[in-house]
Amino acid sequence: MLDRSKSRAGFDRVLMAVAATFLTVSATAALAQTGPARSSPAELAIDAAIPRPEPANVPPPTINDFKLDTLKPDTLKPDTLKADTGGPVSEAAKIMQRAAETKPSDVVAAPAADASKSDAGKVDTSKADNKADTPKADTTKVDAGKNTATTTAEPAAAAATPVVEPAKEATKAASNVPPADQPVADKLRDMLGTKTLRYFDRKAERAVVEKFYTAREFAPLWTQGGALTESGKGVIARLKDAASDGLNAADYPLPDFAAATSPDALAEAELKLTASMLDYARHAQSGRMHYSQVSGDIEYPEHPIDPAEVLANVTTAKDASAALDSYNPPHKLYRELKAKLAELRGEGNGPVIQIAEGPTLKFTPAHGKKQAPVEMEDDRVPQLRAKLGITENADDTRYDAQVAEAVRKFQSSVELKPTGVLDDRTVKAINNPKRDRQIDTVIVNMERWRWLPRELGAPSIGNAYVILNIPDYTLKVMQNGAQVWTTRVVTGKPGIHATPLLTETMKFITVNPTWNVPPSIIYNEYLPALQQDPTVLQRMGLRLEYGHDGSVHISQPPGEANALGRIRFNFPNKFLVYQHDTPEKSLFAGEDRALSHGCQRVQNPDQYAATLLGITDPQGHYTPEKIRSMYGKGEIDIKFPTPIPVNITYQTAFVDDGGKLQFRKDVYGRDATMLTLLRNGKGKDLENVIAHSQPNYVRPVGNLPGSVSFASDNSGPSFFERLFGVATPAAPPPGRRRLQSRQVITR
């Protein structure tokens, strides 16, 4: 092969080859013109029988027609040139190949007559007149009788660009897309390049989808040969059943694949289903609304979906429906709510039961010994028993005391008069799948479960965690999926003192804590009280100190009367709330215990501390008695070798340990806010984070008294540091003195 990178020898050889070609053609024509004339009838008959190609009015080729310097040596191979036109090698291409392989000395020494022969084409001009069956379409041969070079412009053009079409042919040959799906793949390629925004309104998702389909050569995911695949059927089934997870199936529109008969329609249906699948996965995992839209005092670790992971997971799973369902919360309490939602809608695990209309049924209890109980009979009673969950005597047609009591409870739950009588209103309420507010309450609670972390506990300590339910005023310690310990709590008042919803880790507890009064309480409550009674702080056992910048600090030393009690449970967070003991034990007797300034008061702190330390530090052998033996005047910090997660939740609907659905008062109005958003919000806008006014647990509300100022940043440890402690305590500012010593216990 000629090396044209070192000199112009290749270019010169091409010129010499072209010159030799023209010399050959010219010599042949001259011989034909000067040869003996065919004048005999036999010769004329032979000439008439031979087809003559039409002369092509093509100007003589120049060197510009052979742009060999733009071609790589590999493109001059015979197989490459043949792939260019898909047919026989053109004469021009043969000349190019011959010229590239011929030495300059060969061209000069060869006779002119021999130059008319092509080794590749084997054209013999001496026999051209005797081949009567030569096709007219074969214009690659030189006709000696007509003295005309019949090479057309089409082969010359093909020879000029031999690398464009072969690339496309090679691409099609190497495609892994089945031929039946190739038209749809071509449409998907076009749509993803120009119309992606119509289906995917998130930039990150658009990029992922384009990359995903590009990697599979734009082959469709959900159809094969125009028919739905098993994965496509599974995804559609999951989206149709979105309501079972408290979602709205209308948010995930399903294309009509049966009506999609053209490649355009199939490609559009493909992208619509992909978009709906990603929307479902995102809502199932993170929720239809961002928690910031509900309140500013909510903060959970966010866990958005990875679109690439969703596409890979669902499309490679044996069961696409189950793979998509896995993005819903895995927690047991969520699954229990899902089952209760089905029961409330009358779906259960079997067919929907409808109670037929009929006469009013009632049960009349016995009155003394003379009047026996009256039990009416009706064929509808077995259905009523199944509908209300009565498993005893399932086929009994008597409307007895047990059935009447179940009807009474149902009437009470749907705000009907609890008479225990089965009348028309009660039958309609039982049959109506949207009969009451309980369904809405369950749905918003399922939505809140999507905000919580998928892993509530710490794996290294048996997935242990603390979970506190504000509306139920209870705290539970969980480990290995089971409840270890529980107690009553007091939570924040509705309004600015509401207990925030959060997930943090408890890192240590403080025995004999000092209560550093938050500035908001100082300026909003204590200073106004001081103006009325200058001795109030002294009587409460509080100490008033002024910083060098005029700021006010109020604290209460450790002791039995300390507002935090004997123990404080520390899980540092931006809301500056924590859990602690309290000297006001009587508060735990009430049913409505939303009474604090945001922190949570624990009924049995010594048992709580021993339980937590038993999980995080079993070698310490902590017991409630050991904890109580530490009570005194000096602060003692006990650090956890492994921090334990604390999850503060808001469950107005939950399933208790007995399997019964429980409802609690919406003390903070969270349910009402979420229902309003779900009903009036505009679809995907609910997922956006909004700028929300965060409650401030440090800065006071309103103007400060003229004689004091708010603590500046350089006035010593911040309230957060004073509250939870710091690794290296800063020196107290002038005029301040340390109130108590602090002891730290680490293991």
Side-chain angles (χ1 to χ4, degrees), residues 233-257:
K233 293 176 182 178
V235 170
I236 290 175
R238 181 73 257 147
L239 298 183
K240 284 183 177 179
D241 195 38
S244 66
D245 279 292
L247 301 173
N248 185 4
D251 291 338
Y252 321 108
L254 296 175
D256 187 358
F257 281 95

Side-chain angles (χ1 to χ4, degrees), residues 11 71 105 114 178 206 266 272 275 280 285 319 330 345 350 367 375 414 416 456 487 568 572 590 675 685 694 704 730:
F11 183 77
L71 303 177
S105 59
D114 293 340
R206 289 199 301 273
L266 284 170
K272 284 183 177 179
Y280 178 94
Q285 178 153 308
D319 187 343
R345 287 172 168 165
H367 291 284
E375 299 175 342
V414 296
L416 292 176
L456 297 177
T487 190
R568 185 180 67 217
L675 284 172
D685 292 341
Q694 295 283 355
L704 301 180

